[in-house]
Amino acid sequence: MVVVKRFVLQVHRKSDMSKAVVDLPPKGGFSFDLCRRNEMLISKGVHPPSFRKTGTTIVGLVFKDGVILGADTRATEGPIVCDKNCEKIHYIAPNIYCCGAGTAADTEAVTDMVSSQLQLHRYHTGRESRVITALTLLKSHLFSYQGYVSAALVLGGVDITGPHLHTIYPHGSTDTLPFATMGSGSLAAMAVFESKFREGLTREEGIELVCEAICSGIFNDLGSGSNVDVCVITKGHKEYLRNHQMPNPRTYVSSKGYTFPKGLTEVLTTKITPLKEKVEVIEGNDAMEE
Amino acid sequence: MNSIDATIAEKGLMSSEMGSERTLYPYVTGTSVIGIKYKDGILMAADMGGSYGSTLRYKSVERLKPIGKHSLIGASGEISDFQEILRYLDELILYDNMWDDGNSLGPKEVHNYLTRVMYNRRNKFNPLWNSLVLGGVKNGQKYLGTVSMIGVHFEDNHIATGFGNHLARPILRKEWHENLSFEDGVKLLEKCMRVLLYRDRSAVNKLQIAKITEEGVTISQPYSLKTFWGFSAFQNPTKGAEGSW
């Protein structure tokens, strides 16, 4: 009992001291304050809301003249497909694009943030952005959040130093590769790349290989599906081919459309409630003026 | 009264974990096995590695074995359980031969037997920790099937276990077709095994390919695949990005 009292007193003393000290600005990175409370809730059986993940197959490869990025277009919320045609290839700079896998909000937010930081940097330096700048900004942000920002990215672009392709993992580590895949469909796509990739592919061959890898993910992985998006970046030029391939069309749509003529549905009761009530306006503002 | 019964039942079922006599986790494991149907029969490939956790302990483990006259079995997972399964199958074939009735167990029958064994062990919470691939030809009929450690079984034109599920199946789905020649079949298997060699950490570059046709079983000598590491990007990978790897 005495020990507890002493402990409490000590705590009070500490807080008294801190009031005298100047308030420090809040440090960056993840605040772990709510972790204990969250763990307690989970142990009690409270389920946290499931977040929208992008399931995903994303790929990138370096070809003769630059970089080609590819992605599928399915976004999942647990077992449900919540978006059949979402955009997973994000704009970072005119010469740099980034595919994102993991939590959709995290990939959107982190790529938008780095995109605006790079824009300001371009104004400041007056030069075209470099891929390694985007890489460093992304990796240091993700590292400071210790993997809690669940964004796995394939970053590709062409700058003054040449074409570059990088993968960035949620904990902040990066790889520099000639071909890369990420996401739940990464193994299916990597099987295609490992058996068919060679250096010095032409543009057509590169696009075909990327599409084949994404299709392998779409058809063999449940977290990926719908259409294929492709982005080709070369020196001084980029082409964003949205829905370049659509291998999952809706096979039957009624050509006549759906019409519901009056009388098709049986009317059981009718009740009409007038919305406007008759209001009488009394002339004579003299009362107010007094 | 119900709660007392439950605790007694639980105790009896699981025993104390200390003196447990049920398989909890595998120790020495083999990685993927791939099998395909081709023009004359079945082709199967498996590497010869037996991993002890993260070390590559045994490098000459034969994971493809003939069974009777008409079947070929390949196993991934716990090697000791595979050896036990081979003993069961040996007994099965022996008893069948002792009947001396001119009939012999075909691949479909062996597959069914294995399914029952695996499923019953799983129901006793003491599984044989294997994924088995069973292939064979009998009376001109080709058969290729698989059984997992929980008793999931099915037959198909191409089978892959372990990592092969993720890496080899997409390739097989795209490139397998009816009436592959022997050379094309071997090429397809080697393509899958090469990808597995690159991307599966427990794979070894020493594999055997087994063939079963109406004539019989042939298991090749161990050999290794050619790999390509000469990408120019691998010469100086971080040329454009110092500090990354």
Side-chain angles (χ1 to χ4, degrees):
Chain A
M1 276 284 274
V2 177
V3 177
V4 169
K5 250 191 179 169
R6 217 179 290 147
F7 176 76
V8 167
L9 277 172
Q10 278 180 340
V11 168
H12 275 302
R13 232 177 279 139
K14 264 197 179 155
S15 63
D16 280 330
M17 281 194 35
S18 68
K19 276 179 196 160
V21 174
V22 172
D23 273 324
L24 294 162
K27 290 193 206 145
F30 195 72
S31 164
F32 289 86
D33 294 342
L34 287 171
C35 287
R36 240 178 87 205
R37 167 246 188 204
N38 290 342
E39 269 166 39
M40 185 272 290
L41 282 174
I42 290 173
S43 69
K44 291 258 161 82
V46 176
H47 297 291
S50 78
F51 30 83
R52 186 162 161 264
K53 303 200 94 199
T54 51
T56 306
T57 309
I58 48 173
V59 307
L61 61 77
V62 176
F63 74 110
K64 200 155 47 96
D65 309 315
V67 167
I68 307 179
L69 300 173
D72 73 305
T73 60
R74 173 183 284 185
T76 51
E77 230 164 46
I80 300 167
V81 177
C82 59
D83 191 347
K84 291 184 283 188
N85 207 359
C86 70
E87 283 186 27
K88 299 188 190 178
I89 306 186
H90 308 286
Y91 168 87
I92 302 255
N95 57 325
I96 307 172
Y97 273 76
C98 184
C99 306
T103 309
D106 287 338
T107 56
E108 277 289 338
V110 95
T111 47
D112 280 352
M113 185 192 79
V114 167
S115 173
S116 33
Q117 283 179 343
L118 279 184
Q119 175 81 306
L120 290 170
H121 192 248
R122 274 201 296 285
Y123 287 138
H124 195 77
T125 58
R127 296 188 173 100
E128 192 187 54
S129 298
R130 299 192 186 192
V131 182
I132 47 169
T133 319
L135 181 73
T136 312
L137 288 169
L138 285 163
K139 79 183 328 185
S140 27
H141 180 84
L142 290 175
F143 178 72
S144 67
Y145 281 84
Q146 289 293 298
Y148 283 94
V149 175
S150 175
L153 311 166
V154 171
L155 176 72
V158 181
D159 56 31
I160 194 74
T161 52
H164 297 283
L165 180 69
H166 303 282
T167 53
I168 309 165
Y169 289 83
H171 285 266
S173 65
T174 58
D175 289 312
T176 311
L177 297 164
F179 57 93
T181 67
M182 295 282 259
S184 57
S186 63
L187 280 88
M190 187 51 87
V192 172
F193 273 172
E194 283 286 16
S195 44
K196 298 196 173 153
F197 178 82
R198 0 170 272 279
E199 298 206 288
L201 290 164
T202 64
R203 194 197 125 99
E204 283 68 37
E205 288 172 334
I207 294 180
E208 205 192 302
L209 187 58
V210 162
C211 286
E212 211 184 314
I214 299 288
C215 283
S216 174
I218 286 174
F219 293 116
N220 293 298
D221 173 47
L222 296 175
S224 316
S226 302
N227 317 122
V228 182
D229 285 351
V230 176
C231 184
V232 186
I233 310 171
T234 52
K235 193 171 169 64
H237 180 68
K238 60 127 190 288
E239 249 182 275
Y240 182 47
L241 303 165
R242 169 80 171 141
N243 287 358
H244 178 69
Q245 272 185 9
M246 300 178 79
N248 291 301
R250 199 169 166 186
T251 39
Y252 179 73
V253 185
S254 167
S255 54
K256 289 182 259 174
Y258 299 97
T259 52
F260 301 100
K262 256 195 179 136
L264 198 69
T265 315
E266 196 188 324
V267 178
L268 296 174
T269 54
T270 314
K271 181 181 168 192
I272 302 172
T273 315
L275 291 174
K276 273 196 206 150
E277 282 178 3
K278 282 219 176 103
V279 179
E280 277 201 28
V281 179
I282 306 165
E283 278 295 326
N285 298 327
D286 303 336
M288 288 287 269
E289 279 171 18
E290 274 185 81
Chain B
M1 198 165 111
N2 277 340
S3 58
I4 301 170
D5 282 341
T7 45
I8 292 172
E10 215 181 272
K11 259 194 157 181
L13 193 64
M14 299 299 170
S15 258
S16 63
E17 292 301 336
M18 295 283 271
S20 173
E21 286 186 34
R22 46 189 208 94
T23 308
L24 297 167
Y25 21 75
Y27 286 90
V28 182
T29 52
T31 182
S32 352
V33 177
I34 317 180
I36 54 171
K37 279 187 189 166
Y38 80 109
K39 196 163 46 94
D40 307 322
I42 311 288
L43 276 170
M44 262 200 239
D47 67 21
M48 300 190 75
S51 313
Y52 185 61
S54 54
T55 44
L56 223 199
R57 177 74 179 80
Y58 303 102
K59 292 195 252 190
S60 298
V61 179
E62 285 186 23
R63 297 194 291 118
L64 300 170
K65 293 282 184 188
I67 306 292
K69 282 196 286 207
H70 304 284
S71 320
L72 184 61
I73 187 173
S76 67
E78 173 62 62
I79 300 296
S80 63
D81 283 346
F82 178 47
Q83 289 169 342
E84 188 73 359
I85 288 169
L86 289 176
R87 266 195 347 98
Y88 288 158
L89 288 172
D90 198 41
E91 200 182 331
L92 181 77
I93 300 293
L94 182 71
Y95 276 42
D96 183 52
N97 287 341
M98 293 203 300
W99 280 103
D100 200 18
D101 56 2
N103 194 12
S104 50
L105 290 173
K108 216 174 275 201
E109 291 81 49
V110 178
H111 187 223
N112 185 266
Y113 173 78
L114 287 170
T115 308
R116 293 293 106 224
V117 169
M118 301 298 270
Y119 185 65
N120 277 296
R121 288 290 297 257
R122 165 258 194 188
N123 284 342
K124 291 189 242 173
F125 278 90
N126 185 14
L128 291 160
W129 208 285
N130 294 107
S131 286
L132 306 166
V133 180
L134 206 297
V137 194
K138 188 176 174 193
N139 299 333
Q141 291 272 36
K142 298 181 281 222
Y143 186 89
L144 180 63
T146 182
V147 197
S148 80
M149 75 187 234
I150 51 172
V152 175
H153 63 283
F154 53 90
E155 58 152 319
D156 205 348
N157 293 321
H158 47 80
I159 298 281
T161 66
F163 247 89
N165 274 311
H166 300 106
L167 288 169
R169 186 158 286 141
I171 300 176
L172 292 169
R173 277 183 178 165
K174 200 143 199 268
E175 301 188 14
W176 184 90
H177 57 87
E178 201 76 57
N179 293 324
L180 280 164
S181 71
F182 175 70
E183 289 76 29
D184 285 340
V186 172
K187 248 202 223 117
L188 182 58
L189 282 180
E190 285 188 346
K191 195 176 198 179
C192 297
M193 293 303 284
R194 187 170 292 114
V195 177
L196 285 167
L197 178 63
Y198 284 138
R199 294 283 164 176
D200 178 6
R201 106 173 169 169
S202 34
V204 214
N205 197 1
K206 185 174 173 193
L207 66 139
Q208 286 181 307
I209 299 220
K211 166 178 85 137
I212 181 165
T213 58
E214 197 72 56
E215 282 87 55
V217 177
T218 329
I219 303 183
S220 74
Q221 284 301 306
Y223 69 103
S224 56
L225 294 169
K226 279 210 192 69
T227 55
F228 179 69
W229 297 91
F231 293 115
S232 68
F234 289 177
Q235 303 309 331
N236 188 5
T238 59
K239 192 167 71 149
E242 300 310 315
S244 141
W245 62 85

